[in-house]
Structure formats: structure tokens, C-alpha cells
Amino acid sequence: MFRYIAHALLREELSLADRAQAVMPGGVNSGQRGIPGLERLIIAGTDGATFTDGDGRTYVDFHAAFGPPILGHNDPDVDRAVTEAIRTVDLMGVGVTELEVGLAERLVEHVPSVETALLTATGSEATFHALRLARAATGRRRVVKFQGCYHGWHDAVAMNVISPAERIGDRDPMSTGMMPETVEATAVVAFNDLEATERELSERDVAAIIVEPIPHNIGAVLPDDGFLPGLRGLCDRYGTLLVMDEVITGFRHALGGYQSICGVVPDLTTLGKAMGNGYPIGALGGRAELMDQFSTTPGHPVFFAGTYNGHPGCVAAATATIDKLANEPVHEHVFALGERARTELADLFRSLGQPARVSGYGSVFVTYFMDGPVREYADLLANDIELFTSLRLAEMEHGVFELPLNLKRSHFSYAHTDDHVDTLLGATEAAWREKKGS
Ligand SMILES: Cc1ncc(COP(=O)(O)O)c(C=O)c1O
């Protein structure tokens, strides 16, 4: 108690970062935000492609909150839709709103695998419910995920993303306190390795394979041509459900997600992030015959709930976002910026004599500081982590923000322009020269 009173008395003199540290463990609201070098970062405002910190410095934001604002921060069309919605209706504890029906209709219209859809508040809830449904529908317990993919914070999947070398090939839970039985029921396989995946499916009954079609949680590792179709074939052969986690790729790479690009139709699809341009919303969709097992139909056995599912403000944000993606050349714009950045970053590092592999897809880009091919997470152990993170911290002095955390990707939004690509290239070169003293 004394601590809190003393804190209250001191409040006037303490900085916001100190006040945060005093009353919030670590001073931030996510384990992914407690990042060395950013301990005192205050987000004071956002606008289009930029954010402003507590000292009034403005940065071109390429991190973009791990990817949601595909239209840019504070998009006026999204803001208007949210404001109108919350002035009209703020009840979602019973029944259904016109907004929810309209959004589900759009998901069914655009995403190939989605025959029917349900809304969640986050991506983690969507993947949780997808796996629960897969277990219920198949009567099996086990799940297969891939090293380097992230699917949220729950026990069945919170493991083996950016693992230390010695944990690859073993289970690498991201937290203590996880249920060992749940962790053990998930097998982890190398991305792009169909043989190892088939071994898992043939040796034990597997309820679901869950996969990021492009593992963007480790930057951008592209699937081999046959990999995603190969997973579909294996699932069909072994009676396993294919869950395509499009929380990052959905709406960012195409209105229909990456599945509309690669032509592989999963049984279930999870969505989030870019779907709501920054408002907390996720979705789960797929084959109607599977989705029908959810308890949203009275008496059906797979429990599905969430106080904030279908929140009118978030649904309005998602509807406005999807309509803008459908009606304006958003993907054309962000893909062109991404292509230019990847090409010119590769040219830049070549001219500097710095070994680098610039990867990405569409609006997403990342520079790994390494030689050699990138087909799976283990290849990325060669990345020069010190250079990767310190270069990004140094870029901040030049008005550019990319997350200074190993392997994290950067994004373009509709609010970014070619001038921002120029700023990125200039800041990257200046930061590299400062670091290398040349
Ligand atoms: C591919 C993927 N799936 C699921 C999630 C979990 O989403 P959320 O953080 O909204 O719970 C994330 C979050 O980064 C993700 O990248």
C-alpha cells in the first residue's frame, strides 16, 4: 500500500515510463513489447505511416504493430465507420447485429475456404477454437505445427517460434506453467519438410496440421511450390484437418488470403490483424459441416464463446477495411512499395559489401544478415542477430522504426509512399555506416 501512496505522491515528478514501470510489471502490456533498447518508448500519437514518441520525435512506422494497419494508422474511413457504429449500437451479449451478418458475408465472399464464419476478438482465440474443433471433429488429440510459426499464446501452440539452436527438434515451450500433456500433444516439424510431416501423420493419429502459409513470425520464409499442396494431400490421406493460420497473411497479401494465391483450400482458416486495420478482431471460418459443430447452434457440442465477439466498433472497422481493400488499389500500392524496398535494399547491401538476404512477400520485407538459402527456421540461425537488432535501433536516430527484435518483419501500408521508401533506404545506409565506421 505504501508503495502505491508514495507513487501517487511522486506521480507529478515521474516520467510516464517510470509510472508505467511502477504499476505495470515490465511497464508494457505484452511480452512482445518488453524489448531491450525500447524500455522508455512512449507512443504519444499515430498518423498514417508514422508515430510520434513521448519526446515529440516522429518515425516512419514500418513495424506497424506487427502488421494490422494495412491502410495506415487512423484511417479516416475506418475511424468514421467505428464512430458511427458505436453511436448506434454497443450491445453484443445477445442476438446478432446487421454489422456482424455483413462482415460474415464478406468473409464468405472473399476467402475461398470460408463457407461459414464466426468472429473472435483476437487471433489466439481463433486458433484455439480451430484446434478444439479439429479435435472434436476427428476424435483425435494431436496437433502438428512447424518450427518458426506462431499461432498465439495458448498451450497447444505457444512453442518453437524463435528457438535457440539446441532446442530445435525438441519441444520449446514459450512459457512456464503450460500443461505438459497439451505441449506433448503437439509435434513440431521443420517448415517445407513434407517427409517429416508425413512421418508424424503416419506414426500417430493427428487431428490437425496448423500452418502459417508464409511463416512471417520469423520474417518471411517462403513455401516451396509443392509444400502447401503437399500438406493438403497428406491431410486428405490421413484424415487430418488442415488449419491455415492467415492471421498475418489474410487481407494483407490478398482479400482472399494467401490461400487464394497458392490455390490450396484448407478445412479451417483463422484471420485477424489486417482484417480490422488495428481494431481487435479475429475470425474463424471453414467448411460449414465442421463449423456447424460449434455451440452457436443450440445443443451442438463444441463450446464457442467470447463476451466481445462481434463488438460493433470492431466489426465496423473490419467491414470498412475489407471494403476499402476491395474498392481501392491498396494491394497494388503496398506490393509496389514492397517490391521496390526489397530490390533496393538488396542493391544497397550488395554495394556496401554486406552479406544480406532480403526476403518478403507483397507488403512485407525483412533483411537477414547472412548468406545461403532460407527454407526453414534452422537456416536463420546464421542471421547476425547483433547487426539485425542494433541496425534497427540506430535507424531510429534517422526517423525510421523497424522492430529491433531478431527476425521480425516490416510492413508497408496504404499510407506509405515512395518518399518513405527513400527515407528507409537513407536511414538504413546511414545506420549501417555509423555501425561499421565507414
Ligand atoms: C500467425 C499468427 N497467428 C495467431 C496470432 C495470435 O493473434 P493475437 O495476437 O491477435 O492473439 C498471431 C499473432 O501475432 C500470428 O502472427
Side-chain angles (χ1 to χ4, degrees):
M1 175 56 91
F2 174 74
R3 216 152 46 95
Y4 295 105
I5 294 169
H7 173 65
L9 292 172
L10 281 170
R11 193 175 293 157
E12 291 307 307
E13 285 122 67
L14 287 175
S15 73
L16 200 56
D18 291 329
R19 282 168 54 198
Q21 290 285 345
V23 291
M24 300 160 65
V28 288
N29 269 313
S30 165
Q32 292 296 87
R33 296 180 203 167
I35 291 166
L38 301 184
E39 293 87 352
R40 305 192 70 75
L41 180 64
I42 303 295
I43 306 299
T46 54
D47 182 20
T50 66
F51 74 81
T52 301
D53 73 11
D55 298 320
R57 279 189 301 237
T58 295
Y59 305 85
V60 183
D61 185 11
F62 292 104
H63 171 235
F66 293 98
I70 185 164
L71 301 176
H73 297 296
N74 315 89
D75 180 82
D77 297 314
V78 174
D79 286 356
R80 199 174 310 113
V82 172
T83 313
E84 268 171 31
I86 60 177
R87 285 196 180 134
T88 311
V89 55
D90 77 348
L91 176 68
M92 67 256 136
V94 67
V96 72
T97 60
E98 191 176 347
L99 278 166
E100 288 167 272
V101 180
L103 179 54
E105 284 170 349
R106 284 166 174 79
L107 299 179
V108 170
E109 177 191 344
H110 293 303
V111 186
S113 65
V114 175
E115 293 175 2
T116 59
L118 288 169
L119 300 177
T120 60
T122 66
S124 294
E125 292 166 70
T127 60
F128 177 91
H129 284 112
L131 295 182
R132 176 184 275 173
L133 176 58
R135 290 198 197 92
T138 60
R140 302 172 177 183
R141 294 174 55 229
R142 293 180 68 82
V143 169
V144 168
K145 81 175 280 287
F146 296 92
Q147 176 71 53
C149 291
Y150 178 70
H151 305 290
W153 38 250
H154 51 97
D155 290 8
V157 288
M159 65 187 86
N160 296 81
V161 184
I162 300 183
S163 300
E166 66 277 11
R167 300 308 299 270
I168 296 177
D170 197 356
R171 288 186 185 76
D172 179 29
M174 297 172 84
S175 177
T176 53
M178 291 167 66
M179 287 294 285
E181 303 89 311
T182 310
V183 173
E184 276 152 30
T186 298
V188 183
V189 174
F191 190 76
N192 274 328
D193 190 340
L194 278 177
E195 266 176 43
T197 312
E198 173 148 29
R199 257 196 314 279
E200 285 299 330
L201 266 55
S202 64
E203 284 171 7
R204 298 179 197 87
D205 284 343
V206 173
I209 293 179
I210 185 164
V211 64
E212 282 184 79
I214 300 176
H216 279 311
N217 278 285
I218 47 172
V221 176
L222 299 180
D224 293 347
D225 282 348
F227 182 62
L228 297 170
L231 292 185
R232 179 67 276 173
L234 288 177
C235 284
D236 291 343
R237 177 135 29 107
Y238 290 96
T240 297
L241 297 186
L242 181 60
V243 180
M244 204 176 274
D245 182 358
E246 298 233 42
V247 165
I248 295 176
T249 52
F251 300 104
R252 178 162 284 284
H253 291 343
L255 261 176
Y258 194 72
Q259 60 195 259
S260 69
I261 296 166
C262 70
V264 173
V265 181
D267 299 289
L268 294 170
T269 296
T270 50
L271 297 159
K273 294 199 194 281
M275 175 178 160
N277 204 54
Y279 283 83
I281 188 160
L284 164 64
R287 284 187 4 237
E289 155 252 330
L290 291 169
M291 297 289 294
D292 272 349
Q293 300 193 27
F294 277 124
S295 62
T296 44
T297 303
H300 288 205
V302 185
F303 188 69
F304 181 89
T307 300
Y308 299 112
N309 291 356
H311 185 284
C314 301
V315 175
T319 305
T321 304
I322 292 171
D323 287 350
K324 195 154 174 171
L325 293 176
N327 296 324
E328 295 192 25
V330 178
H331 288 110
E332 204 182 317
H333 180 81
V334 296
F335 271 51
L337 295 179
E339 188 60 37
R340 188 185 151 210
R342 285 188 294 275
T343 304
E344 296 191 20
L345 282 168
D347 290 347
L348 171 66
F349 287 117
R350 203 172 303 116
S351 73
L352 294 171
Q354 168 65 54
R357 287 198 68 87
V358 183
S359 185
Y361 184 88
S363 60
V364 171
F365 64 99
V366 62
T367 304
Y368 304 119
F369 295 109
M370 55 181 281
D371 287 315
V374 176
R375 286 190 60 246
E376 57 154 313
Y377 171 76
D379 298 329
L380 298 174
L381 293 171
N383 181 42
D384 181 340
I385 301 176
E386 202 284 323
L387 181 58
F388 189 96
T389 52
S390 66
L391 192 76
R392 288 169 171 221
L393 280 173
E395 285 173 11
M396 289 179 74
E397 297 302 317
H398 301 276
V400 159
F401 188 72
E402 298 186 271
L403 196 70
L405 193 62
N406 189 31
L407 304 184
K408 289 303 164 194
R409 68 200 176 276
S410 294
H411 311 83
F412 283 103
S413 75
Y414 199 36
H416 286 91
T417 64
D418 269 307
D419 286 350
H420 294 127
V421 181
D422 294 339
T423 307
L424 170 75
L425 292 163
T428 307
E429 176 166 359
W432 187 90
R433 288 192 186 280
E434 283 158 20
K435 277 209 59 66
K436 298 287 176 178
S438 76

